[in-house]
Amino acid sequence: MQYSLTHADDLALAARHEAAAFARRVNLGRDAARKETKILMDLAHGLAEAGRFGEAVTVQLEIVDLYRASGSPGNYPLPDNVAWSLLDLAIYLDLAGRTEASLEIEQEILTLQRRTAEAEPRRVTGMVIWMAGAALRFLDIGDGLSARGLLREAVAACDQLPAEGGIANFGFHQGVQAVLFARSGSRDERPEGGRPAPVGVDPGRSRQPVAGRSLHHWAFSVREDYRAGLDAINQAIVDAGPVPRDPAGFGTLLRRRAIRRSVLCLGPQDFTEEIIPALAKGVDVERRLLDAERLSRALIDQALGHLVAGASARAAGALREAGQAV
């Protein structure tokens, strides 16, 4: 932690390696599994930040196995921990270029979410957020059929919820939304095809945020860069003026700003006042572009925000329209 605070990232990663090696060979006491998984999670994420995605996958598989083995056969005593560990694995596999394996993990997460919601109906909102986020992933790889199926299932689940609910579980729901939202925006954050680095991204840094990870997991040097990048995106939007010359590029900037703001969200009021209006503006821009894929992404983004805010009826409407647009 102290190395990370002073931006000595290589030394921080070496310390994480040493801590993980020690945890594997000693008895950490009654809470051994919990302590070991936390240490291994820090190592896996440090490896991913350094771009060593294959090694991150190997460590993350250890974490998944520890969570799976923590209960009786066929049961997950802590389904949220299993789901989060699987999501991290799916992200690392994708970053390592193992798309097929990553999508298999996506399906396992969805199966777990369905089973959890069936056993505990109060978790249905969380399940719908996972489904909508997975639909974004399938859209990103061009699998419209799978995306439509998930959107139909999500709409049916929304229809069983109160039209307007509370946000008592705001922290968990917003955490899931932010991670899935950030993951779906990762392609917009990467220089591809020889194009220059997107506004707000510094490819020269030795560490980069890992798409799909919430801010509290990131090294302090990465957090600093992420906030500075948001400032640069804000300025680019101001500079674009009231009538942008490049509407599609402007729409992408709006989406990237909404993603970064969502990850940095400070609570329910911040989310309601900042994120929800930003998502609505993104939908308005995409409607004018007449691009079905872009509009469906914006509508799913908006639905995720409505779900976090407890507006299930509005979420269902956005998801239904997104499914029709795919």
Side-chain angles (χ1 to χ4, degrees), residues 132 136 177 180-181 184-185 255-256 258-259 271 275-276 279-280 282-283 294-307 318-319 322:
L136 281 170
Q177 177 263 355
L180 298 175
F181 196 9
S184 74
R255 183 169 200 260
R256 292 180 56 219
I259 288 172
F271 192 85
I275 308 303
I276 297 294
L279 297 177
V283 170
R294 290 181 65 106
L295 176 58
S296 62
R297 288 178 78 195
L299 285 163
I300 295 172
D301 292 345
Q302 187 179 48
L304 284 165
H306 286 323
L307 286 163
L319 291 170

Side-chain angles (χ1 to χ4, degrees), residues 165-188:
I167 55 174
N169 206 17
F170 173 83
F172 178 77
H173 289 160
Q174 195 274 328
V176 177
Q177 177 263 355
V179 170
L180 298 175
F181 196 9
R183 178 185 64 176
S184 74
S186 61
R187 68 179 183 182
D188 296 326

Side-chain angles (χ1 to χ4, degrees), residues 136-281:
L136 281 170
R137 171 80 194 283
F138 285 111
L139 279 179
D140 284 344
I141 64 168
D143 187 352
L145 183 63
S146 294
R148 280 193 296 273
L150 282 171
L151 291 173
R152 283 194 297 269
E153 189 176 353
V155 168
C158 279
D159 288 341
Q160 305 303 312
L161 293 168
E164 293 288 337
I167 55 174
N169 206 17
F170 173 83
F172 178 77
H173 289 160
Q174 195 274 328
V176 177
Q177 177 263 355
V179 170
L180 298 175
F181 196 9
R183 178 185 64 176
S184 74
S186 61
R187 68 179 183 182
D188 296 326
E189 295 267 324
R190 298 176 189 169
E192 291 180 348
R195 71 177 185 180
V199 173
V201 175
D202 181 2
R205 293 191 70 96
S206 61
R207 294 291 185 273
Q208 294 290 340
V210 179
R213 288 302 299 260
S214 56
L215 186 69
H216 67 277
H217 287 291
W218 296 343
F220 289 90
S221 54
V222 175
R223 298 188 202 193
E224 186 178 73
D225 181 53
Y226 194 74
R227 292 180 185 277
L230 176 57
D231 292 339
I233 293 170
N234 285 331
Q235 188 58 52
I237 289 172
V238 171
D239 293 344
V243 184
R245 294 181 180 179
D246 176 15
F250 183 70
T252 299
L253 274 176
L254 288 176
R255 183 169 200 260
R256 292 180 56 219
R257 180 171 70 174
I259 288 172
R260 291 201 179 208
R261 280 181 170 176
S262 182
V263 171
L264 295 167
C265 182
L266 297 176
Q269 183 174 349
D270 184 34
F271 192 85
T272 302
E273 295 178 356
E274 296 284 342
I275 308 303
I276 297 294
L279 297 177
K281 185 175 182 179

Side-chain angles (χ1 to χ4, degrees), residues 68-133:
R68 282 174 170 157
S70 61
S72 57
N75 293 304
Y76 294 141
L78 298 171
D80 291 340
N81 287 346
V82 177
W84 281 108
S85 68
L86 288 170
L87 177 62
D88 290 343
L89 179 58
I91 290 167
Y92 298 151
L93 285 166
D94 186 40
L95 291 168
R98 297 171 59 183
T99 303
E100 186 174 342
S102 177
L103 293 175
E104 288 177 3
I105 297 299
E106 294 278 0
Q107 295 292 357
E108 183 175 352
I109 298 170
L110 291 169
T111 298
L112 174 58
Q113 291 302 316
R114 293 183 185 101
R115 180 169 46 175
T116 301
E118 183 178 356
E120 299 181 67
R122 65 184 178 84
R123 290 177 171 267
V124 169
T125 301
M127 178 192 72
V128 177
I129 294 173
W130 284 98
M131 286 180 174

